[in-house]
Structure formats: structure tokens, C-alpha cells
């Protein structure tokens, strides 16, 4: 349950992604399925903090350490979130963040990788700079014009203008996370009386960042399909969405992994039910009420598609 970029990163490096199923209550990576799918060829675990809730990093850290694997967090949704009081990046070898326009902090495009491993940090600095061992700041400091390209890299440097845009928002992150949690709780309180929908669970020990607020829509109880429900919401100017179609169901991965049958039945079932409702730090109580009232009013409005 992630955007395709998580898997694409592995493919770009010549690796073959192995897809792991999710927990039905949280849609987070299921550690037991990780154990089932580890092989002698496995190099890393890529955990996705779906919707802004951290994965079970205690268990994933143990699995990674026991099997000599690198643990990477796709923390694109969980900027500001914590697991048992520690930020996601403190649990893993590498944490990847996105600053896409829809994320809590944006630099218009681009992202950031965080690590406390100096060897990995040095490799990342080379990787973002054409594989060159030093940048112009370092060459100026050492009074030299010479440099060496040791490996093939990319031009992945975020400009200073974009960085300044991101830094200007960083001090607001804590308040934005608190606001998102307050809005999510308002949703949860108001949705309790609606048996045809169910918010995803928040587990003990998690400090959620609520990049997304996701519900599961029960078509059998509501009398209307999930897709028709989204259409009704959008007709009333409520920008509901679906996050995400299981990555391996996309055409590229169907071709790319044709020889590797994939079974993630929980993720596939969830895809047919999930709806992402609007959530943003300045969302008002009236706006939350309008979304909830609309969800209630569209029940049984049309036949199931």
C-alpha cells in the first residue's frame, strides 16, 4: 500500500521488489509476512509508514538485524511522527522523506534521505552529485580545483532556493501535526455512529502525523459502492481519493514480475474499500462536519455499481 515510487527505487537499482502484505487494521507492513518472504537474495526491507503512522519498527528492526538486512523507511507520510517516542529515522538505517506539493512540508518537488551512518551518508552525497567525491564548497575549503568521479551518480541536488522554502516551514511542523491529530480525532468521534465505514486503527506507541485520513467503506452495509461514494463526495466539492492501488497491479509490474506470482490478499481487499478523506492543518470543525454529514447522506442513495 504505497505510491509506485517506493518499488521503482529498487527497480532503478537493478533489484527485484518482493511485495509484502499489510495488517488489515492499519494497512502497515505485516512483519510476519516479511519473515515468510525473506530469501538468501534479500538485501533490504522497505517499510512504508502508510497515511502517517509508523510501522512496527521494534519488530522490523529485530528482523532486519537477525537477517543482516538494511532497514529503510519510506517516511514520506510520517514526517513528524514517532514510534515509542523516537522519530522514524532513529529506528532505521535510512529514512526517505518527500517534499512533493501535497506533503506537510513542500519544496515544490524533491526530498531528503536521513541516516546516522557516516558511510551511507558519504555514499548518498556522491550519489546525488554525479558520483563525484567532493562538491565545490569542499574544493574551495581545501583550495583545490581537482575532483574524482568514483562511481556513476545523478544530479539529484535540491537547489538552495527550494531548501530555503522547506526550512521556512520546518518550525511549523509540530503545530501542523497537532492540528492534523485534532482533526483526525474529530473525524473519529463523529464517524462512530456510521457502521458502514471504519477509520484505520492507531496502534499503541504510535504518534501519528495523519498525512492521510483513511476509512474503509463497507458497500454491503451502505447500499452504495465505494467508487459511487467517492463520486458523490466529489459532486459536493469534497476531494476524496484512493491511496493506493497495490503497486504490483500496475501494468509495468504485471509485465516486470510476470515470473514472480504475488499474493497480498489483505492489500487487495483493502484497495476495494479505502477512501482518503480531506485533512489539512487549517481544516475547520464546520468542514469536518460537512464531510461527515455528506458521508451519512449518500448512504443508500444509489444502487451498488
Amino acid at each position: 500500500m504505497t505510491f509506485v515510487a517506493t518499488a521503482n527505487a529498487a527497480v532503478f537499482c537493478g533489484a527485484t521488489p518482493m511485495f509484502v502484505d499489510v495488517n488489515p487494521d492499519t494497512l502497515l507492513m505485516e512483519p510476519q509476512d516479511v519473515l515468510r518472504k525473506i530469501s538468501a537474495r534479500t538485501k533490504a526491507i522497505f517499510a512504508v509508514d502508510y497515511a502517517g503512522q509508523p510501522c512496527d519498527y521494534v519488530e522490523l528492526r529485530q528482523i532486519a538485524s537477525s537477517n543482516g538486512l538494511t532497514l529503510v523507511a519510506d517516511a514520506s507520510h510520517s514526517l513528524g511522527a514517532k514510534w515509542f517516542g523516537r522519530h522514524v529515522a532513529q529506528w532505521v538505517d535510512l529514512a526517505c522523506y518527500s517534499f512533493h506539493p501535497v506533503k506537510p512540508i513542500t519544496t515544490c518537488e524533491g526530498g531528503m534521505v536521513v541516516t546516522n551512518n557516516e558511510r551511507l551518508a558519504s555514499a548518498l552525497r556522491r550519489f546525488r552529485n554525479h558520483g563525484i567525491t567532493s562538491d565545490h564548497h569542499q574544493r574551495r575549503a581545501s583550495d583545490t580545483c581537482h575532483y574524482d568521479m568514483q562511481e556513476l551518480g545523478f544530479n539529484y541536488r535540491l537547489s538552495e532556493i527550494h531548501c530555503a522554502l522547506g526550512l521556512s516551514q520546518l518550525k511549523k511542523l509540530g503545530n501542523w501535526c497537532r492540528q492534523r491529530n485534532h482533526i483526525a480525532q474529530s473525524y473519529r468521534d463523529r464517524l462512530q455512529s456510521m457502521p458502514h465505514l471504519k477509520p484505520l486503527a492507531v496502534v499503541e506507541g504510535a504518534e501519528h502525523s495523519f498525512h492521510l485520513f483513511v476509512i474503509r467503506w463497507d458497500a454491503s452495509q451502505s447500499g452504495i459502492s465505494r467508487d459511487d461514494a467517492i463520486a458523490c463526495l466529489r459532486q459536493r466539492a469534497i476531494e476524496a481519493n484512493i491511496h493506493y492501488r497495490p503497486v504490483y497491479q500496475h501494468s509495468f509490474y504485471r509485465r516486470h514480475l510476470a515470473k514472480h506470482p504475488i499474493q497480498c490478499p489483505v492489500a487487495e481487499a483493502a484497495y476495494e474499500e479505502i477512501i482518503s478523506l480531506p485533512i489539512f492543518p487549517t481544516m475547520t470543525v464546520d468542514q469536518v462536519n460537512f464531510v461527515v454529514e455528506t458521508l451519512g447522506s449518500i448512504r443508500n442513495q444509489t444502487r451498488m455499481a
Side-chain angles (χ1 to χ4, degrees), residues 11-24:
V11 177
F12 279 131
C13 294
T16 300
M18 173 64 70
F19 293 93
V20 173
D21 214 347
V22 293
N23 179 282

Side-chain angles (χ1 to χ4, degrees), residues 95-110:
C96 305
Y97 295 94
S98 169
F99 301 137
H100 180 274
V102 303
K103 296 301 191 295
I105 286 179
T106 181
T107 58
C108 297
E109 273 294 0

